[in-house]
Amino acid sequence: QVQLVESGGGLVQPGASLRLSCTASGRAYMTGAMGWFRQPPGKERELVAVFTRTGDHTIYADSVKGRFTISRDKAKNAVFLQMNSLKPGDTAVYYCAFDARIITSSLRSPSEWDYWGQGTQVTVSS
């Protein structure tokens, strides 16, 4: 079993920044795809930014390119999401996800991921 714990959400004004953190535990070797999804109110869960299983590449949603940056600390089994220039449309519950075997073509499908964090609320409002 893998446990994922997120932190860093909150209420901010448009244009502000937030940094989300996710730490994984439960396995000796945490190699695999890892990253962030979000679920806006009344909508389906969607990919925000992830590292591929090999860790060589990142995939971003078009709506966050140039504003959000994903990074990771392999030694700490952690992944981060730096969110700048936040917009009201970024309001959502943000989830950390991990999967040891997922293939690149399946990364955008939430149902293909094995492990999820509990989620952290991000609200962007004036």
Side-chain angles (χ1 to χ4, degrees), residues 21-83:
S21 300
C22 172
T23 302
S25 62
R27 292 177 57 159
Y29 298 98
M30 296 297 298
T31 55
M34 192 168 179
W36 296 93
F37 284 72
R38 68 185 181 187
Q39 189 162 11
K43 297 184 178 180
E44 295 184 351
R45 196 170 297 190
E46 61 184 12
L47 179 145
V48 177
V50 298
F51 283 99
T52 61
R53 182 166 52 89
T54 59
D56 296 337
H57 301 287
T58 54
I59 295 176
Y60 287 89
D62 289 342
S63 59
V64 307
K65 285 180 180 178
R67 300 188 298 123
F68 292 11
T69 303
I70 189 171
S71 60
R72 72 192 304 178
D73 183 334
K74 291 185 177 181
K76 297 181 178 180
N77 294 326
V79 66
F80 309 95
L81 186 67
Q82 178 65 43
M83 304 185 294

Side-chain angles (χ1 to χ4, degrees), residues 30 34-35 87 94 109 117:
M30 296 297 298
M34 192 168 179
K87 305 175 181 180
Y94 284 70
S109 302

